[in-house]
Amino acid sequence: MALLQISEPGQSAAPHQHRLAVGIDLGTTNSLVATVRSGLAETLADEDGQHILPSVVRYLSSGEVIVGHRALAGAARDPLNTIASAKRLMGRGIEDVKQLGGRSLYQFIATGSGMPKIRTAAGDVSPVAVSAEILKVLKARAESALGGELQGAVITVPAYFDEAQRQATKDAATLAGLRVLRLLNEPTAAALAYGLDRGEEGVVVVYDLGGGTFDVSVLHMHHGVFEVLSTGGDSALGGDDFDHLLAEWIMQQAGISDDAAHTQLRHVMAIARAVKESLSVHEQAAIRLDQSFGTAWQGQITRGQFNELIEPLVAKTMISCRRALRDAGISPEDIKQVVLVGGSTRVPRVREKVAEFFGRTPLSDIDPDKVVALGAAQQADILIGNKSGDQALLLDVIPLSLGLEVMGGLVEKIIPRNTTIPVARAQEFTTFKDGQTAMGIHVVQGERELVSDCRSLARFNLTGIPPMAAGAAHIRVTFQVDADGLLTVSAREETSGVASHVEVKPSYGLAENEIERMLRDSMQHAREDMEQRRLREQQVEAKRLVEAVSAALAQDGALLVADERDRIGQAISRLQSALAQSDYAALKAATTDLERHTAEFAARRMDHGIRKALTGQQIDEL
Amino acid sequence: MKHPLDTNYFALFHLPVQFPLDGEILNTRYRELQRVIHPDRYAHASDQEKRLAQQHATLINDAYHTLRDDLKRAQYLLRLKGVSLEQRQVHDPGFLMEQMELREELAAIEQARDPARFDTLFKQIRQLEKNCKQALQESFATPERLEQACEAVVKLQFIRKLAEEAESLEERL
């Protein structure tokens, strides 16, 4: 028998081609796309050399959709059809949208499924569809720059986004035809960029104030392992709110009423933004507001006055910082570095407060607008499998507590916020009434004690419980969150074995059939037959399996005896011949067959890895 | 061959089954294990390996966070020794009195909406926690006094609950 080949641990033996993957920062105000080329992360520009794509989408009555700078330019003229800050509406019901505060700039239409739509000249559009338009532009940009079809993308979301907001983001990616490798938290992405590019080590705090969201994360970085210790924030607080406050102040000063026309409100907002940006550089700024009949209002504001306006908001971010430190069990003197992310950290008052709170000057030497996209690109490169050997590893946490509704409308927390994922937790419950045969399981997310104050994620029933006295049944409810942050809940009555489970899809995401319909409607998928698509997906899956098993054999073949190795080899051959045909059922069967033959091998490989990791450690210490 | 994950949490990290803990060794071994086993390492592997990786990583996370925390480690150690914590009560009148006073202070802060008083409260809570941990250390030393360990665990549970309530009140105010 020929000698077995064994490669370096952690290195895949089969050299594969570079797979095209990108990181996308889908921001409230601006979006970017980045990729790793020749080991370096870089953002990609459009044909005019612009890297930043304003997250603005304009719908024309002709049905044409304009995205980015050109849409932004038309915002003041055509406010109702030009959608900005759609991210703030993602995964939100009409009630939430009303509570977001500030004057509403659009005409909202309530819909059955929860998320409101926006009325435009091209019809009613959902925030998910608006975000998908932005993603489509970035996807096209990346594909033309990289010269091929994208195989996957990491899209960033605020760490403090709840399940509904995350699901809405995933839905938008699906609509745009992107395969999501992972939703990555924005501050974590920034920390990755700093850690991988600048080699930062120790405890790092990321303060991320964007256009519409605020996040703070505490991380521990050690030799390429990025451990998130805690995360906190506010998914509805950002630079946009500074603009709103400033706009209100200007309107008050200029005597403009609250019910002014949409075009005028948009105009004031645009001016407020420019004034805010000017105050980041100058001590005071002049304001000139064009009004009807050729008249104009003129005024000015000092940085001190502006600081006073935004003080309550900045103070709110500090409360989140304090909580994040407490959750991480860290005091300010343990912190090695504070990193600023997001365009709104350019506001001097924000910088001052951060420096004061953490007792050190914060870092911002990677462009705060680009750092999130750059980190996301690094993670995409890792997850798509382009990096081998000693790559970085990210240990993330869940941002919000997960729990169940119990008697009295109260929440019983099962997994507290800032628990490292993957995680599984179980708790036992019992019946309330004699002879009770069913139990309603209501899964919620949030920190508050009352169910009504938390976000409802899913409901399902455990039925068929054998009739028993109240309190006699033992119902074990298990929450499992995987490395992608996806939650699965299962319930089981222990004495009878009756079980039920649900993969949690939050109530404000789009329904499965809704996405399918939207996909069918879009041109690129209309031509593709569903059968064809199913076969193609199975082929991709089968090829991936063959590649994975071959690499595993080359690396750890020594863990098998010749006989076992032969049997796996035969199963590979069978799958390869099935791949040559176009029979979905046969291909599926051959895939399952290979998986069955490699089950034991997979388990051995993993044990081997664990043992090696620990022995390596012990030798070091002896 | 015994499966490495069938052993207890201490053995998983090759640590002695005892209350005193070398946190640095635990941290290092945790990172080394996750480096090998984390599902992200198997993003391109078969579904089977992904499932296995997830199970292992879940267990390692659980073990790590149990051992790292003094209270959870003590509870786990008592369970390993077959000592039940069900229906344990604290018989220390001084401690109970103090708990009552702290709870009254918490209620008073809520009533007066006076967040400035949190500093002192948290200081007191931290001191109590420190005392309890000291008692835990001593009760787990040789010779072991498991009854005392149980009492310290229950006290620590009380204190943690109080701290949680104080923190959540502080966030609301």
Side-chain angles (χ1 to χ4, degrees):
Chain A
M1 197 189 106
L3 286 177
L4 295 171
Q5 295 173 314
I6 301 174
S7 67
E8 280 287 313
Q11 279 181 6
S12 144
H16 47 242
Q17 86 248 46
H18 185 83
R19 300 185 180 96
L20 299 182
V22 292
I24 293 177
D25 174 3
L26 182 61
T28 310
T29 354
N30 294 311
S31 296
L32 286 119
V33 59
T35 195
V36 174
R37 277 198 281 202
S38 329
L40 277 180
E42 54 181 359
T43 53
L44 301 172
D46 63 10
E47 59 261 33
D48 300 327
Q50 304 257 29
H51 290 253
I52 284 177
L53 178 74
S55 304
V56 181
V57 180
R58 184 174 171 201
Y59 291 87
L60 304 184
S61 53
S62 63
E64 196 195 335
V65 180
I66 302 171
V67 180
H69 293 282
R70 273 178 56 221
L72 184 61
R77 262 180 296 126
D78 190 15
L80 288 177
N81 298 313
T82 310
I83 319 298
S85 302
K87 187 175 179 178
R88 303 193 89 167
L89 310 173
M90 294 287 268
R92 302 269 182 178
I94 188 112
E95 288 308 313
D96 299 318
V97 170
K98 281 182 189 152
Q99 280 172 12
L100 276 178
R103 257 164 292 274
S104 163
L105 297 168
Y106 311 109
Q107 289 180 308
F108 289 111
I109 313 293
T111 62
S113 70
M115 234 186 295
K117 290 192 169 183
I118 303 159
R119 177 139 291 169
T120 75
D124 298 344
V125 295
S126 75
V128 170
V130 176
S131 299
E133 293 298 338
I134 298 164
L135 290 172
K136 275 183 207 166
V137 170
L138 294 174
K139 178 177 183 250
R141 181 194 290 185
E143 288 183 340
S144 93
L146 301 175
E149 201 183 326
L150 289 186
Q151 300 201 32
V154 166
I155 299 176
T156 60
V157 288
Y160 220 55
F161 252 23
D162 64 26
E163 280 301 309
Q165 292 166 305
R166 282 166 201 264
Q167 190 59 49
T169 308
K170 274 193 181 166
D171 291 348
T174 309
L175 266 185
L178 281 168
R179 181 179 156 230
V180 182
L181 297 168
R182 169 80 43 92
L183 293 183
L184 181 63
N185 293 331
E186 285 158 11
T188 312
L192 268 176
Y194 271 93
L196 293 174
D197 278 9
R198 308 289 148 106
E200 294 289 343
E201 292 270 306
V203 177
V204 172
V205 173
V206 182
Y207 179 100
D208 179 358
L209 189 60
T213 56
F214 168 67
D215 278 319
V216 55
S217 286
V218 184
L219 291 103
H220 183 263
M221 315 212 227
H222 186 86
H223 295 318
V225 178
F226 295 71
E227 193 185 351
V228 180
L229 301 178
S230 70
T231 193
D234 190 330
S235 64
L237 169 66
D240 282 5
D241 297 294
F242 294 177
D243 300 351
H244 276 289
L245 286 175
L246 190 51
E248 265 167 38
W249 184 86
I250 293 171
M251 286 171 67
Q252 218 175 35
Q253 300 291 312
I256 299 170
S257 69
D258 276 5
D259 51 4
H262 277 283
T263 43
Q264 189 168 23
L265 291 179
R266 272 294 175 99
H267 180 54
V268 177
M269 280 297 286
I271 285 176
R273 221 181 132 144
V275 168
K276 174 186 77 175
E277 282 165 12
S278 162
L279 284 173
S280 288
V281 193
H282 306 289
E283 280 298 326
Q284 57 181 357
I287 309 167
R288 189 193 151 86
L289 194 63
D290 291 323
Q291 285 174 303
S292 45
F293 315 116
T295 60
W297 176 83
Q298 290 193 1
Q300 65 167 18
I301 184 168
T302 65
R303 191 187 279 174
Q305 282 172 298
F306 176 64
N307 288 350
E308 229 169 87
L309 281 178
I310 63 169
E311 192 65 34
L313 296 183
V314 182
K316 234 170 129 182
T317 69
M318 292 304 144
I319 294 172
S320 298
C321 290
R322 207 167 149 188
R323 192 172 83 171
L325 285 188
R326 184 145 71 194
D327 282 358
I330 294 282
S331 47
E333 54 281 8
D334 301 328
I335 298 166
K336 186 82 186 305
Q337 207 67 261
V338 179
V339 169
L340 294 180
V341 180
S344 305
T345 57
R346 292 208 173 83
V347 173
R349 187 66 188 146
V350 171
R351 287 173 173 254
E352 283 163 27
K353 282 294 238 183
V354 172
E356 192 183 299
F357 181 84
F358 292 104
R360 72 197 59 235
T361 314
L363 266 189
S364 55
D365 56 333
I366 302 182
D367 185 340
D369 285 326
K370 290 184 177 170
V371 63
V372 167
L374 294 173
Q378 308 255 29
Q379 177 75 346
D381 197 47
I382 293 169
L383 290 179
I384 201 81
N386 283 336
K387 283 211 171 119
S388 56
D390 204 18
Q391 61 203 9
L393 176 67
L394 182 60
L395 301 171
D396 218 335
V397 299
I398 57 162
L400 298 159
S401 301
L402 296 166
L404 277 186
E405 173 170 356
V406 292
M407 292 298 298
L410 295 173
V411 179
E412 174 73 19
K413 280 182 193 167
I414 308 288
I415 308 182
R417 68 170 187 240
N418 292 322
T419 301
T420 313
I421 52 175
V423 62
R425 291 278 161 83
Q427 194 152 326
E428 269 196 13
F429 294 89
T430 191
T431 43
F432 172 67
K433 278 192 197 141
D434 285 342
Q436 186 177 337
T437 59
M439 183 178 258
I441 311 274
H442 184 200
V443 185
V444 298
Q445 180 175 42
E447 308 312 317
R448 307 282 292 276
E449 285 160 31
L450 293 177
V451 168
S452 50
D453 294 329
C454 289
R455 165 97 43 198
S456 166
L457 291 184
R459 286 173 193 274
F460 70 105
N461 289 323
L462 177 67
T463 53
I465 303 170
M468 285 180 251
H474 290 272
I475 291 138
R476 195 173 170 79
V477 180
T478 308
F479 279 47
Q480 163 88 50
V481 183
D482 68 14
D484 284 313
L486 267 181
L487 169 67
T488 311
V489 179
S490 53
R492 186 185 146 89
E493 202 289 306
E494 296 287 332
T495 50
S496 62
V498 179
S500 173
H501 82 109
V502 65
E503 207 169 276
V504 174
K505 287 253 175 162
S507 3
Y508 282 137
L510 296 178
E512 201 74 33
N513 54 12
E514 225 174 323
I515 296 181
E516 228 167 72
R517 185 183 50 73
M518 287 166 96
L519 273 177
R520 260 205 309 278
D521 293 349
S522 69
M523 288 298 287
Q524 65 190 111
H525 291 272
R527 273 172 271 135
E528 202 175 84
D529 184 26
M530 286 306 276
E531 289 277 301
Q532 267 315 106
R533 194 168 154 202
R534 197 175 62 157
L535 175 65
R536 217 184 57 186
E537 280 171 3
Q538 188 62 39
Q539 282 168 340
V540 172
E541 170 67 26
K543 280 184 196 152
R544 199 171 54 103
L545 182 64
V546 170
E547 198 186 311
V549 173
S550 307
L553 278 175
Q555 190 180 320
D556 288 324
L559 297 173
L560 297 168
V561 297
D563 195 30
E564 292 169 321
R565 209 179 142 82
D566 286 350
R567 272 199 302 260
I568 292 176
Q570 283 156 12
I572 293 180
S573 307
R574 282 195 296 272
L575 181 53
Q576 273 164 337
S577 32
L579 263 169
Q581 320 289 320
S582 300
D583 181 349
Y584 170 79
L587 187 58
K588 174 98 189 156
T591 310
T592 320
D593 175 55
L594 178 56
E595 278 192 324
R596 200 167 50 81
H597 277 91
T598 51
E600 172 62 22
F601 181 37
R604 260 185 238 170
R605 262 165 53 82
M606 220 148 288
D607 290 353
H608 180 64
I610 291 176
R611 281 175 209 283
K612 220 164 50 182
L614 285 174
T615 16
Q617 267 305 309
Q618 287 214 306
I619 292 164
D620 285 353
E621 268 138 37
L622 285 175
Chain B
M1 188 165 85
K2 196 170 182 196
H3 194 286
L5 297 182
D6 283 343
T7 46
N8 73 46
Y9 289 172
F10 290 97
L12 189 58
F13 295 99
H14 284 206
L15 288 166
V17 183
Q18 62 181 35
F19 186 74
L21 178 82
D22 186 329
E24 271 314 301
I25 293 186
L26 177 66
N27 288 341
T28 315
R29 291 192 183 156
Y30 169 67
R31 286 192 287 261
E32 287 314 315
L33 282 176
Q34 285 292 14
R35 224 192 258 281
V36 178
I37 221 69
H38 195 274
D40 283 5
R41 285 284 187 263
Y42 296 86
H44 265 267
S46 63
D47 288 347
Q48 212 160 47
E49 284 185 290
K50 280 185 195 163
R51 270 195 306 275
L52 270 178
Q54 165 156 326
Q55 283 169 13
H56 286 55
T58 301
L59 183 81
I60 288 163
N61 274 335
D62 205 27
Y64 173 64
H65 291 284
T66 302
L67 295 188
R68 202 172 62 161
D69 181 73
D70 287 338
L71 174 58
K72 288 188 192 148
R73 187 169 70 255
Q75 288 166 330
Y76 182 69
L77 205 51
L78 288 170
R79 216 171 75 208
L80 282 184
K81 290 176 189 291
V83 180
S84 166
L85 280 163
E86 297 262 319
Q87 310 197 338
R88 294 271 170 181
Q89 278 166 4
V90 175
H91 300 293
D92 177 349
F95 177 82
L96 291 174
M97 188 56 99
E98 202 166 6
Q99 283 291 302
M100 230 150 69
E101 282 165 9
L102 287 171
R103 286 194 170 272
E104 276 165 15
E105 169 65 6
L106 192 60
I109 292 176
E110 185 168 15
Q111 197 86 47
R113 304 187 70 82
D114 181 8
R117 282 153 76 178
F118 273 117
D119 271 354
T120 331
L121 183 72
F122 279 122
K123 232 176 249 164
Q124 279 171 294
I125 291 175
R126 269 197 299 273
Q127 184 57 45
L128 273 174
E129 194 168 341
K130 220 173 128 192
N131 297 346
C132 265
K133 285 182 181 176
Q134 183 64 34
L136 262 183
Q137 291 277 17
E138 285 162 14
S139 56
F140 276 118
T142 19
E144 274 182 340
R145 282 160 297 176
L146 295 183
E147 282 304 310
Q148 278 172 22
C150 287
E151 169 127 348
V153 162
V154 177
K155 280 183 181 173
L156 202 48
Q157 285 170 342
F158 264 113
I159 298 164
R160 287 278 169 93
K161 187 132 193 358
L162 179 70
E164 250 172 58
E165 281 168 34
E167 280 163 18
S168 100
L169 177 65
E170 193 191 23
E171 274 164 35
R172 268 180 286 135
L173 288 184

